[in-house]
Amino acid sequence: MSSAGIAASAGPLFAAAPFAVAMGLLGILLSPLAELLIARTLPRLGGLPGARTRITTAALTGLLCAALALRFGTEWSLPAFLLLAALGVQLGRVDLAHHLLPNPLVLTLLVAGLALLVLGSSAAAEWAELLRAAAGAAILFVVFLILALISPNGIGMGDVKLAAPVGLYLGYLGWSQLFYGGALGFVLGGILSAVLIRLKRANLSSEIAFGPSMLAAALGTALLAS
């Protein structure tokens, strides 16, 4: 490719960079705010996490928000996916630390995410994605519920409830994203289990948090799937 062609292709990326940086900074600010709200509303979790954890979650949230800004640009759906990044990181943190997916956080992700997608669909006059998102939430919830009934030691009810907002976002992206994103969660969960067993931090009978794998699959699908 000629230097002129490279410059032309790089132009949109450079133009989007300031917006992505702004959204990354927003994510960094949202992370401690979310942790403070969680500590106040869910005191049974033991208050604020340690400084190292807070720095890590803020950095991860900021990185995800910046990447999502590059992926979606100024599309009306971006706020909903920024919410997924901010709350998803917090849900993953809580699940890793406590093997718990608190109902208020999961419900907030579902209801607020749906509300933001409704607003985005209204502004863009695109209703097919919203209907597919609602169907995706129902489908993934039912699939996880069936799996939990078949293998209660493998899938917890917290994971079943989390499947609804995860399916909402994946369904909004598309049917193939719903399928591959849902499957990717199991792949990542298997990899995480194998790594923990390899590091002797878990054994075959240990309870391993599955929520982070589901959320990572949803965010990864949102970033990488076209």
Side-chain angles (χ1 to χ4, degrees):
M1 181 182 294
S2 66
S3 59
I6 294 174
S9 62
L13 180 61
F14 286 127
F19 179 65
V21 170
M23 293 301 100
L25 292 175
L26 175 63
I28 291 174
L29 293 175
L30 286 175
S31 181
L33 177 61
E35 287 167 346
L36 181 60
L37 291 174
I38 291 170
R40 290 187 174 181
T41 57
L42 297 170
R44 62 194 175 110
L45 297 179
L48 290 171
R52 181 179 299 179
T53 299
R54 297 178 72 186
I55 292 172
T56 301
T57 53
L60 181 57
T61 304
L63 180 62
L64 287 170
C65 287
L68 288 166
L70 288 175
R71 164 67 173 84
F72 291 98
T74 55
E75 291 182 17
W76 288 101
S77 58
L78 176 62
F81 283 91
L82 295 180
L83 175 71
L84 174 62
L87 270 184
V89 169
Q90 296 303 320
L91 276 164
R93 169 184 69 81
V94 172
D95 199 17
L96 285 172
H98 304 282
H99 292 282
L100 178 68
L101 291 165
N103 289 337
L105 294 185
V106 175
L107 186 61
T108 298
L109 181 59
L110 176 62
V111 174
L114 178 59
L116 289 172
L117 291 176
V118 168
L119 289 175
S121 296
S122 300
E126 296 177 350
W127 297 104
E129 290 86 351
L130 185 62
L131 293 174
R132 192 174 59 229
I139 290 170
L140 206 62
F141 175 83
V142 171
V143 168
F144 270 71
L145 179 59
I146 293 172
L147 292 174
L149 294 175
I150 295 173
S151 178
N153 293 328
I155 300 292
M157 290 309 298
D159 302 323
V160 174
K161 293 176 225 180
L162 181 62
V166 168
L168 178 80
Y169 281 96
L170 291 175
Y172 182 86
L173 293 169
W175 292 117
S176 61
Q177 287 85 345
L178 176 65
F179 175 79
Y180 289 113
L184 181 59
F186 290 98
V187 173
L188 294 178
I191 294 173
L192 177 61
S193 300
V195 169
L196 291 176
I197 292 173
R198 181 73 175 176
L199 295 175
K200 298 183 179 179
R201 294 183 181 179
N203 54 53
L204 293 177
S205 61
S206 298
E207 180 183 358
I208 297 175
F210 188 50
S213 299
M214 297 171 62
L215 293 160
L219 286 162
T221 301
L223 289 172
L224 300 176
S226 58

